[in-house]
Amino acid sequence: MLLWHNWNYVITDVAPYGDIAADMLLIERAKHDWLLIGHYSRFGFNHPGPFFLYARHLAEMLVGDALPSPYNAHLLVIIGLSAVFIGIAASTVAALVDSDRKTAVMAAAATVLVLLIQDQGIGILAHPWMPFQLVPPFFAFVLLLAGTALGRLWMLPVASLCGAVLVHGYLPLVPFVALPWLLALGCAVLQRRRSDPQAPMLPAGPLALSAVIISVFMMPLILDMAVHPPGNIIKLWNVTRAITPQSGASLGDVAAFIWQFWKPAAPVYSDLSIFSVTPALWILAALCIPVACRDPKARSAVAHVIVVAALMTLLLALYVWRAPGPPYPYIAEFYLAVPLAVIAVATAGAAIVIVRWAPRSVGLAVAALSIVLVSKGSLTSPNQNVAGIRELSDGVLDHLGDRKGEGVRISFDNHDNWVFVTGLLLDLERRGVPICVEAPHLAVLFTPERICERTAPGHRYVLVASSACATTCIARSQSLPLGLALPPEVPPYLLGTVLDVVPGRDTGRPYRGSGWSIPDLDGIFSNAPEAEFNLPVAQLTDAPLQLRVKAWSFVAKELPRQEIEVVVNGQPVTTWVFTTADPIGERVATIPAEVARLQQPLSILFRMPNAASPLSLGLSTDSRQLGIGLQWLRLDAAPHKTGLSQEP
């Protein structure tokens, strides 16, 4: 059914963007390096493991050449994984409510139909966005825990598989997986000892197989520590220390957040809204729960799923209470599986009761509903691609002509435009254009390999609103609307001119080179071990020049000292020292005349060997590699000729 409804996406050349393109950029690493980390986080780190990314990479290797674009192969494996986890869930429900093969088949079919009815018109089961991908394995995990707690220990290794997949995909799922897994195992052991007091305390076979599965999924995390020390796991530890809020959300906010998953409401697609359970399913559940309770096995299964749902709800309440930042619904999209699990097991339980009474009628009803979903349903995901990405990349290729091998450098000042830059990077790389982006503060999105090095060659383009460049854009997209413009000509710098680098009066923008983040209220911070200004100085004389800045540096108890080496035209001229006792102030450097005349435009490079991110020190969620911060900069003729300056 999922393939049927998404076939148009499978056979169409799609240019994805945003989170989907960012994951595809990360997957590219698997072609030339170890890919040992997962999906990126808005807090500047990567989630624990690469399961979902390697599954998509494998699909691209196997069938990518036979399809119009890599995205098509990725979509195929996403649909396949959804089908696998829904199949696991359906088999689990069938085993919970009945052991008779004929009625078990009907129970499994009822479970699948519940998922498909919920997915009608939304398509979360056929979409590569990571919050959506977590719903099917979490659905299966909840049901498997209920089965394990009932004493079906053969479900424990499968639950371990689903739990490991979930942890790879999303760091906050660790407590949602670990604690319920242990509690379900404890319940299973008690059930086992109650039925057979002579049985061993722990089930050796299921535990051994579970240990093997968990070890396999732990291997990338451990290997990452050896290949890329200190490893992503250390960064994750620092993140957990840094992002815990001082005060949690209110009880009312927590309750409202949880209620949005349970309330009957028509699901509406949005990047930040939740997909509440469709009212039709709640009506179905209201009818089915009393019927299911007529059967002892079905009643027990429904009760155990409700208990697991209550535990997951308690954990979600604690998660939302201590969640950093606004509790956007997508951070708990996986939890949508909890009410769906309750509805599914109730529906399946009722189905096996009814099928004993009227097997032919129930079978015909299920078949008819399946036919309706195939012919009239809509199990596709909107907003998977945008035509504007291809319009921009076509414009770049037309502008470059036979020079596309020389490469491209992209810069942008509006942070919100990163979603389109990911798509542009991906599409131009596919079309044979080496490309990098001048945004070191967003390396977690674009991957470090695609951040432009300071001396990297390439034709420079700036992504701007299409209205800002009117007829001067080399490429424009009417659907976004954005355009790519050539960098404006840098005006000559007049000695004595103050270059501000704060929003609203960023007169230093034309002169900034690589290594800087986007200006904020106080100024601009470097975000690389080196950051550069290039000043085409008018009217150079034989006199030395004096560089004066209002600057600060990132210092803390964990990093009490920063040394900023000032290098002009490749020649060191001074070193500024910032400490916790002296973190901010004006700094001065004198540039000898012979150094100033070495090249034009004048290159002023700030070299920061101790630059570090607050995230790496466990101080905050800021992942920028901070060194020097600037509020303004000016260059003057020195009052008198000196040698190399060593001003503090």
Side-chain angles (χ1 to χ4, degrees):
M1 287 186 181
L2 293 175
L3 276 174
W4 174 275
H5 287 284
N6 290 276
W7 189 249
N8 186 51
Y9 282 128
V10 174
I11 62 174
T12 302
D13 187 2
V14 174
Y17 69 107
D19 286 356
I20 300 166
D23 277 344
M24 293 179 71
L25 291 172
L26 187 58
I27 291 167
E28 291 289 312
R29 180 180 291 179
K31 297 180 179 179
H32 57 80
D33 193 8
W34 289 96
L35 175 56
L36 302 169
I37 53 179
H39 175 70
Y40 85 94
S41 165
R42 62 191 170 120
F43 291 112
F45 63 89
N46 291 91
H47 289 288
F51 170 81
F52 289 100
L53 302 181
Y54 262 115
R56 292 164 63 178
H57 174 59
L58 180 62
E60 186 178 338
M61 290 176 59
L62 294 176
V63 299
D65 293 340
L67 297 170
S69 71
Y71 176 85
N72 310 120
H74 293 202
L75 181 59
L76 279 178
V77 79
I78 294 304
I79 291 173
L81 286 175
S82 293
V84 166
F85 288 116
I86 293 171
I88 291 173
S91 302
T92 302
V93 170
L96 288 176
V97 298
D98 206 342
S99 56
D100 180 79
R101 183 177 297 275
K102 292 181 180 179
T103 52
V105 168
M106 194 58 64
T111 303
V112 173
L113 288 177
V114 165
L115 266 292
L116 294 179
I117 292 170
Q118 171 64 24
D119 209 39
Q120 172 82 3
I122 307 170
I124 65 175
L125 301 177
H127 197 291
W129 194 35
M130 187 59 68
F132 291 164
Q133 291 181 62
L134 297 173
V135 175
F138 198 73
F139 179 71
F141 184 67
V142 168
L143 294 166
L144 286 162
L145 289 182
T148 302
L150 272 167
R152 291 169 172 81
L153 285 166
W154 60 267
M155 293 186 181
L156 184 66
V158 192
S160 302
L161 172 66
C162 293
V165 166
L166 291 166
V167 170
H168 264 223
Y170 195 38
L171 174 65
L173 276 167
V174 172
F176 288 86
V177 169
L179 180 61
W181 187 92
L182 290 171
L183 291 176
L185 175 60
C187 290
V189 170
L190 290 177
Q191 290 269 14
R192 188 183 190 193
R193 294 301 297 272
R194 186 179 302 163
S195 60
D196 182 7
Q198 303 302 318
M201 177 63 71
L202 294 175
L207 275 179
L209 186 53
S210 296
V212 170
I213 293 170
I214 294 170
S215 298
V216 169
F217 278 82
M218 283 292 295
M219 284 177 60
L221 284 67
I222 298 171
L223 186 59
D224 182 56
M225 298 176 68
V227 176
H228 306 123
N232 190 51
I233 195 72
I234 302 301
K235 182 184 291 188
L236 295 178
W237 171 251
N238 289 331
V239 167
T240 57
R241 291 164 47 208
I243 66 177
T244 303
Q246 295 297 318
S247 60
S250 68
L251 183 61
D253 290 340
V254 172
F257 186 89
I258 295 174
W259 170 240
Q260 67 188 325
F261 293 91
W262 291 82
K263 66 180 181 182
V268 178
Y269 184 88
S270 169
D271 285 343
L272 295 180
S273 72
I274 202 62
F275 307 105
S276 302
V277 176
T278 182
L281 288 181
W282 280 123
I283 294 172
L284 182 65
L287 296 173
C288 288
I289 288 178
V291 178
C293 289
R294 294 173 63 88
D295 181 83
K297 289 187 68 175
R299 183 169 62 247
S300 177
V302 171
H304 278 74
V305 171
I306 289 175
V307 169
V308 175
L311 174 60
M312 294 299 184
T313 302
L314 176 61
L315 291 172
L316 180 63
L318 295 173
Y319 171 39
V320 176
W321 176 52
R322 302 301 287 169
Y328 295 120
Y330 69 80
I331 68 173
E333 181 73 36
F334 61 89
Y335 179 79
L336 182 62
V338 172
L340 291 176
V342 175
I343 295 171
V345 74
T347 304
I352 63 105
V353 171
I354 298 172
V355 79
R356 293 170 185 159
W357 170 64
R360 186 179 298 275
S361 300
V362 176
L364 289 174
V366 171
L369 184 54
S370 301
I371 292 171
V372 169
L373 287 172
V374 169
S375 59
K376 302 295 184 182
S378 178
L379 303 171
T380 57
S381 302
N383 207 24
Q384 294 196 41
N385 70 312
V386 59
I389 299 296
R390 187 57 49 79
E391 293 169 353
L392 293 176
S393 61
D394 284 343
V396 171
L397 290 173
D398 290 341
H399 184 258
L400 290 177
D402 58 2
R403 301 173 298 161
K404 71 175 187 178
E406 297 174 8
V408 166
R409 299 171 65 103
I410 300 288
S411 62
F412 62 100
D413 285 337
N414 185 341
H415 176 82
D416 293 339
N417 286 338
W418 73 262
V419 295
F420 307 113
V421 177
T422 55
L424 192 59
L425 283 171
L426 197 65
D427 203 49
L428 283 174
E429 279 190 353
R430 271 192 62 213
R431 304 173 81 177
V433 179
I435 181 171
C436 64
V437 59
E438 296 177 348
H441 57 293
L442 295 177
V444 71
L445 288 170
F446 302 117
T447 72
E449 295 88 347
R450 290 173 182 84
I451 301 300
C452 298
E453 296 182 1
R454 188 174 62 87
T455 58
H459 300 270
R460 292 193 65 208
Y461 300 109
V462 183
L463 186 69
V464 296
S466 55
S467 58
C469 59
T471 59
T472 61
C473 281
I474 61 101
R476 298 183 70 187
S477 166
Q478 298 299 327
S479 56
L480 289 178
L482 291 170
L484 285 170
L486 296 173
E489 291 189 12
V490 181
Y493 174 78
L494 300 178
L495 293 178
T497 302
V498 176
L499 299 180
D500 283 308
V501 286
V502 293
R505 57 178 195 276
D506 188 9
T507 55
R509 179 66 186 94
Y511 306 101
R512 278 202 303 277
S514 62
W516 300 101
S517 59
I518 294 175
D520 55 31
L521 294 178
D522 298 320
I524 192 169
F525 239 128
S526 63
N527 185 32
E530 295 181 347
E532 187 175 27
F533 268 80
N534 295 290
L535 304 180
V537 180
Q539 300 174 335
L540 274 176
T541 67
D542 291 336
L545 300 177
Q546 188 177 74
L547 172 68
R548 185 178 296 273
V549 301
K550 176 68 176 293
W552 68 95
S553 188
F554 170 53
V555 289
K557 182 176 69 173
E558 293 80 2
L559 184 65
R561 178 185 175 93
Q562 284 265 21
E563 295 184 359
I564 315 296
E565 185 181 14
V566 182
V567 181
V568 178
N569 287 344
Q571 304 298 312
V573 296
T574 194
T575 297
W576 295 331
V577 176
F578 294 84
T579 65
T580 51
D582 184 22
I584 185 171
E586 291 192 16
R587 297 292 193 271
V588 178
T590 299
I591 304 169
E594 59 271 21
V595 172
R597 290 195 300 268
L598 286 176
Q599 70 178 53
Q600 278 287 352
L602 191 77
S603 167
I604 301 175
L605 181 70
F606 301 102
R607 188 172 290 157
M608 298 147 288
N610 297 324
S613 69
L615 181 65
S616 67
L617 301 177
L619 300 176
S620 76
T621 61
D622 192 343
S623 62
R624 294 176 300 168
Q625 196 172 2
L626 304 180
I628 190 172
L630 293 180
Q631 195 172 73
W632 54 259
L633 173 150
R634 65 180 291 174
L635 202 59
D636 297 283
H640 55 81
K641 187 170 182 177
T642 66
L644 296 184
S645 174
Q646 295 295 326
E647 293 91 337

